[in-house]
Amino acid sequence: MNPVWLALPLCVISCISRNGASPTYKPFSALRDSVKDARLHEIKMGFESIERPKLKIGLELDSNWLFRIGSERETLHADFIENNGDPINLPHRVLLPNTALWYECIFGFVEPGYLIVGADDGSQVFLDGERVKRLHSNLFPIEREGTHLISIRVLNNAMAGGLRNVSFCSIKEFDHYQGRLKKYERIRTAVEKVLLKKVAETEEIAVVERMLSFGGSEEHEPDLKVLNIFPLLAGPYISGGDNGEMQILVRTERDEMVQFKWGKSPTEMTNRLSAVGPVASFGVPSLLGTEEFYYQISSGQTTTGAIRVPTTASESFTFNVWADSQGGWETFSSITKSFDKQAAFSVGVGDLVANGSEAAQWETLARIMSDFSSTQPFYLIPGNHDYDGYYDDLSSKNYVSFSGNSKSYFSWHHSNAAFIALDPNQTFPIGFDQSQKQWFYDELESASWQQAKWKFVFLHQPPYSQGWPGYHGDEIVRELLEPVFESAKIDFIVSGHTHDYERLTKVFGKQKVNFLILGGAGGSLEPDENSNYPEMDVVIKQHHFGHFEVEGRKVGFKVISPAGELIDHFDFVKDE
């Protein structure tokens, strides 16, 4: 069985009564649920038995490469320089964070096609010294046959990285693969929605069963029209952006019409708007957070129930934080089940997906969050993996599309707290351009920041970390933040990037700053060995998320495992 299906979030589906009734007696409702759950279990098993379509590779290019390390002065765009490096074979990885790595080889191609490049973080391709623009994800077109010099520049943002694999396929094989993959992904989406939401409608379960009846056979694939009952790929979800502006977004399969209506009660949703997919966006009613309201989404044959959005206006409030879900969907799905569903909002601090250029990963992220994101705003902050595949211009189009944010750095405030989100991933290796720096300094002087009792800064890369051997946090982040810790009275710096939980409290003049790394929401954990400095107060290699409770002069913080168990906690009390 192809292991790729594991990208599907798994749901534990029981075939016994949910109310714990004795096996000798079950009320009618329990029997009905048991039958439904049994059908869902069969759907899950049926999908797992289908192999994800595979691209037929015409040529594996894994040997006879030359390797050299790029210059420290290289930025996103670099001129081609012929490689006089050392011979290596693939896969190849080296411990060189934030470094450009160059690979070169001569190959002969008998027909035009596509070069498929597997690299850590991102890659750029040169054909006979000329830059080849990426088609999408990790695919680069080779438009003419013959013998060519292939040069690949790997843009490594992690600690260890490099060139994993390179292969070639013909145009015909790729087009055939794309057709089959499209059907597979649509079936995966429908199955995932049924399993995650435990859809009760018999018609929808029957449609999914019809999809799976072909058993993966290419000759008997289902007509895509059978999937029209599932026009919504992801959502609805509430996304927060700059100055606390929010919107409700829905992702559709095609250019579907989406209807949005809302009001102060489920029987008085008289306000109506419409938009066309594949990404439909609606401005959130101005009463969000201050007054309860209800809304409903309709598209095609699908209509949601009336969704209640409660008020969160209070001097005491909570919020959830996670980082580095990064395609570990089974773990992340478990984590979200322990989220505080009554929180004012939730924050994702980067590496939200494993490959930012794959739209399906963002759709999966949105579907897993759907249990709370339809009623609770969330703020998405990009990390380096969310930019993967976008090394032509370092503009993560899927992040913009799914978050609804035109900028990847922004600010908001809630009650007595102010929040700033930064993004050092818009340049290579990492850094902050003058525009973002000036915006940051202006925010620190703003009335909302100056008047706030509690002040939080979120960004993916941490200024201090001990969790990777040889990694100490990012210097470029320290250079930006250390001069303003005291003057801006920053209370918390919350990051990810390192796949563990770390905590450190440092004093800068008269200001006590708490540094938190919450990088355990799904990605593989860091090795047991730590770097020799800085010495963090706490380092725990375990999957987790963070939960904050802000109440007047006190902030309570908890670290919680996927099973809902308490890993660490502390209270921070501010002097008057």
Side-chain angles (χ1 to χ4, degrees), residues 229-459:
I229 197 171
F230 296 99
L232 301 186
L233 293 179
Y237 52 91
I238 305 174
S239 178
D242 200 19
N243 297 318
E245 293 183 1
M246 299 180 193
Q247 51 194 312
I248 294 175
L249 296 105
V250 178
R251 183 82 179 190
T252 64
E253 171 63 31
R254 295 173 301 279
D255 296 340
E256 300 277 355
M257 178 65 71
V258 181
Q259 304 288 337
F260 169 68
K261 63 179 183 178
W262 63 274
K264 293 186 178 182
S265 78
T267 58
E268 298 178 359
M269 294 187 289
T270 56
N271 304 282
R272 298 174 184 270
L273 293 170
S274 62
V276 177
V279 179
S281 175
F282 305 97
V284 170
S286 59
L287 47 80
L288 188 148
T290 62
E291 194 173 342
E292 177 178 285
F293 74 94
Y294 294 77
Y295 73 93
Q296 188 174 60
I297 296 289
S298 301
S299 182
Q301 301 178 47
T302 298
T303 300
T304 69
I307 299 172
R308 172 179 171 267
V309 181
T311 177
T312 58
S314 172
E315 291 187 2
S316 300
F317 65 96
T318 64
F319 61 95
N320 309 300
V321 183
W322 84 93
D324 298 272
S325 34
Q326 200 172 318
W329 300 133
E330 185 174 1
T331 298
F332 183 57
S333 182
S334 298
I335 281 174
T336 61
K337 290 176 173 57
S338 296
F339 270 15
D340 179 2
K341 304 301 189 294
Q342 305 305 314
F345 53 85
S346 292
V347 185
V349 195
D351 281 7
L352 308 166
V353 298
N355 186 329
S357 65
E358 294 184 3
Q361 294 195 28
W362 294 93
E363 291 160 8
T364 298
L365 175 75
R367 283 193 291 275
I368 293 175
M369 296 190 302
S370 63
D371 281 346
F372 67 96
S373 60
S374 61
T375 60
Q376 177 188 121
F378 67 92
Y379 294 88
L380 290 182
I381 302 164
N384 51 291
H385 278 284
D386 304 318
Y387 280 90
D388 278 5
Y390 287 109
Y391 281 86
D392 289 337
D393 54 11
L394 276 180
S395 175
S396 180
K397 297 176 181 62
N398 277 326
Y399 167 78
V400 172
S401 174
F402 278 85
S403 70
N405 295 332
S406 59
K407 291 199 311 183
S408 59
Y409 54 91
F410 48 88
S411 66
W412 74 98
H413 67 273
H414 188 93
S415 185
N416 62 347
F419 304 86
I420 288 177
L422 296 171
D423 179 16
N425 300 284
Q426 289 185 322
T427 62
F428 179 83
I430 64 169
F432 305 93
D433 62 20
Q434 191 55 43
S435 177
Q436 186 173 179
K437 285 181 180 179
Q438 189 58 54
W439 173 87
F440 176 58
Y441 298 141
D442 291 344
E443 283 295 313
L444 298 182
E445 297 297 325
S446 67
S448 60
W449 182 269
Q450 294 284 332
Q451 295 168 10
K453 183 177 288 292
W454 295 103
K455 299 170 183 179
F456 294 79
V457 173
F458 298 96
L459 76 170

Side-chain angles (χ1 to χ4, degrees), residues 194-213:
V194 166
L195 294 181
L196 282 173
K197 303 295 290 183
K198 289 196 172 183
V199 176
E201 290 78 3
T202 301
E203 180 184 5
E204 294 192 354
I205 294 177
V207 167
V208 173
E209 289 173 331
R210 285 170 60 194
M211 295 179 213
L212 298 177
S213 64

